[in-house]
Amino acid sequence: MEDEDSTILHLDMDAFFASVEIRDDPRLAGLPVVVGGAGDRSVVAAASYPARRRGIRSAMPMATARRLAPDLVIVPPRIDRYRAVSREVMEILGSVSPQLEQISVDEAFLDVRGARRLFGTPEQIGALLRERIRSGLGLPSSVGGSVSRAVAKIASARAKPDGLLIVPPEGTAAFLAPLPVAVISGVGPKAVAALERLGVRTIGELREIPGPTLRRTLGPQAGMVAQIAAGTDRTGLGRQVRDRSLGTERTFEEDLVERTDVRRVLTGMADEVARSLRREDLLARTVSIKLRAPDGTTITRAATMGQPSSVGERLREHVIALWEREAGGLPRLRLVGVRAEHLLPAQGGGSVELAGRTTGWRDLEQAMDRARDRFGGESLSRLSHLAPRQGGEGRG
Ligand SMILES: [Mg+2]
């Protein structure tokens, strides 16, 4: 059926920063190369596949990476270079389909529905994109395809490195069944642990959980996760109206050291950003955190949400998951920030969210916004804070 082709493609460059460095200096080929600062307090920004085979991962402290590979080659990052190459990648993608949504420096979703007459099946188009990037830029990339953006992203990750995987609509449920639940964007470490307590490790097992139990376990994104797990999600690209972002950050006079303090600040910021989104009637596809150590070392990390959202609960979960992955790298923090990116109008392009279980949650949070605007203060800011808390860390 023509309208049921897997026309949503997700293209992700393989070990992007490291691959660019290796391309620019072929002597690095085959070596455990990482991009990052050389200091022991810095972290790995990108790791080549030979480095990954030694257990090295991005966001790992450089000292750990050195321990794993004494012959480690550390290349200082050249952000401007990566941005320039990123533009070239996006140009290649745009030449095949104008339905393009870049979600990070080295990743984009494409809807190739309109490109089929000219370029063939989604599989042929995926192969063409990879070939053009390989021959034109000398870089490896991977492509996943599906009827759902969430599943396309899962497929590209399974295709890595240097691969192509198109999941046909009727094969989606079988493709997902054996995979760990964590591959679903929106199922963070906390959710994984909670599901494990129910004896659920795979997406196939997740499907067996009764709806009410799943909602208790996963909260507001249960409906969306259930749809993705069942293979019935059809969320495609959104209409991205503005190239802007919305966020908050704060510099602290005294470094944040205690994890509970960092968690509280990030949670508050995620709520604040979600509230700003709702006030402007926007949804965010991506949420990012910024962490800066007293020595100026800065990490920014972004997560793309399976479904665009303005729900505080969802932003919070992504923000905390990002931070938990990075926390080891920067034990003391001078600056913390949270930002929502790739914004869509809540009505129209992103209205798919209204179909899911999140509707009720969003309505509830919007009602709380109205109450807060009317009565002011923090007293209504969180369902879990039954006792009013004034001021506290302040909202900047
Ligand atoms: Mg990548």
Side-chain angles (χ1 to χ4, degrees):
M1 214 164 52
E2 188 167 73
D3 289 335
E4 273 287 285
D5 271 359
S6 298
T7 60
I8 309 296
L9 301 187
H10 179 252
L11 182 134
D12 191 3
M13 302 299 290
D14 297 334
F16 182 51
F17 299 168
S19 297
V20 171
E21 295 301 340
I22 292 163
R23 178 196 70 172
D24 289 355
D25 183 356
R27 289 172 305 175
L28 299 176
L31 300 178
V33 174
V34 295
V35 173
D40 270 357
R41 304 189 55 134
S42 63
V43 297
V44 174
S48 71
Y49 280 89
R52 288 178 197 209
R53 280 194 288 274
R54 312 274 278 272
I56 295 167
R57 295 283 177 270
S58 56
M60 180 181 271
M62 200 56 86
T64 311
R66 271 217 199 84
R67 240 184 346 264
L68 289 167
D71 54 337
L72 192 70
V73 180
I74 302 171
V75 182
R78 296 182 297 159
I79 300 300
D80 290 341
R81 182 90 178 128
Y82 310 144
R83 283 212 190 95
V85 179
S86 169
R87 276 193 294 276
E88 293 176 314
V89 170
M90 297 304 152
E91 258 165 45
I92 290 174
L93 302 186
S95 72
V96 168
S97 172
Q99 301 294 317
L100 174 67
E101 188 183 311
Q102 183 176 357
I103 58 167
S104 77
V105 69
D106 75 325
E107 263 179 281
F109 286 105
L110 290 95
D111 191 336
V112 299
R113 187 176 303 273
R116 284 178 301 190
R117 186 164 302 150
L118 216 51
F119 297 107
T121 63
E123 178 129 30
Q124 289 167 325
I125 295 173
L128 174 75
L129 292 171
R130 286 181 5 87
E131 170 50 28
R132 284 191 179 174
I133 291 170
R134 162 72 69 188
S135 63
L137 307 178
L139 292 171
S141 62
S142 297
V143 170
S146 168
V147 286
S148 143
R149 59 186 286 134
V151 177
K153 195 165 157 64
I154 294 170
S156 71
R158 306 299 295 181
K160 280 181 175 300
D162 205 8
L164 169 67
L165 177 56
I166 307 292
V167 182
E170 67 279 7
T172 305
F175 162 70
L176 294 172
L179 303 182
V181 290
V183 303
I184 299 180
S185 143
V187 177
K190 236 171 66 186
V192 170
L195 288 166
E196 203 153 296
R197 283 193 292 275
L198 297 174
V200 170
R201 286 196 169 76
T202 67
I203 295 176
E205 289 163 354
L206 185 144
R207 273 182 219 142
E208 306 300 317
I209 309 179
T213 310
L214 194 62
R215 279 193 290 283
R216 266 200 309 280
T217 311
L218 297 183
Q221 74 263 45
M224 186 265 292
V225 169
Q227 277 188 14
I228 293 171
T232 54
D233 176 59
R234 292 291 183 272
T235 308
L237 271 61
R239 191 163 49 88
Q240 197 172 312
V241 282
R242 25 188 140 183
D243 187 16
R244 58 168 287 203
S245 63
L246 199 155
T248 180
E249 61 179 52
R250 199 174 310 145
T251 304
F252 295 88
E253 244 167 276
E254 277 179 63
D255 300 341
L256 292 183
V257 182
E258 296 297 329
R259 288 176 64 90
T260 50
D261 291 342
V262 180
R263 181 183 293 271
R264 199 187 62 241
V265 168
L266 284 170
T267 302
M269 286 181 162
D271 280 342
E272 188 181 330
V273 169
R275 192 179 161 210
S276 307
L277 287 168
R278 294 193 297 273
R279 196 183 294 129
E280 298 201 35
D281 228 8
L282 294 169
L283 303 173
R285 283 214 186 282
T286 304
V287 61
S288 71
I289 60 168
K290 181 169 167 185
L291 307 171
R292 180 170 294 153
D295 69 355
T297 306
T298 304
I299 295 177
T300 57
R301 288 288 183 276
T304 299
M305 299 187 280
Q307 203 93 325
S309 183
S310 63
V311 175
E313 187 71 25
R314 293 211 52 218
L315 267 65
R316 239 179 279 153
E317 189 177 82
H318 282 277
V319 159
I320 295 299
L322 284 171
W323 165 65
E324 278 174 346
R325 283 217 301 271
E326 304 301 325
L330 300 179
R332 305 178 71 87
L333 295 174
R334 175 63 52 88
L335 176 148
V336 174
V338 169
R339 183 157 290 279
E341 294 161 7
H342 303 109
L343 308 184
L344 310 166
Q347 311 302 326
S351 66
V352 278
E353 189 184 52
L354 301 177
R357 286 282 310 171
T358 50
T359 313
W361 194 266
R362 195 164 156 263
D363 290 348
L364 176 60
E365 290 196 344
Q366 251 163 359
M368 287 166 60
D369 291 344
R370 283 194 294 276
R372 203 190 291 100
D373 288 342
R374 201 162 146 211
F375 302 112
E378 299 280 290
S379 56
L380 290 163
S381 69
R382 292 285 306 284
L383 288 171
S384 52
H385 290 162
L386 292 176
R389 284 194 327 152
Q390 292 302 327
E393 70 249 25
R395 306 210 148 200

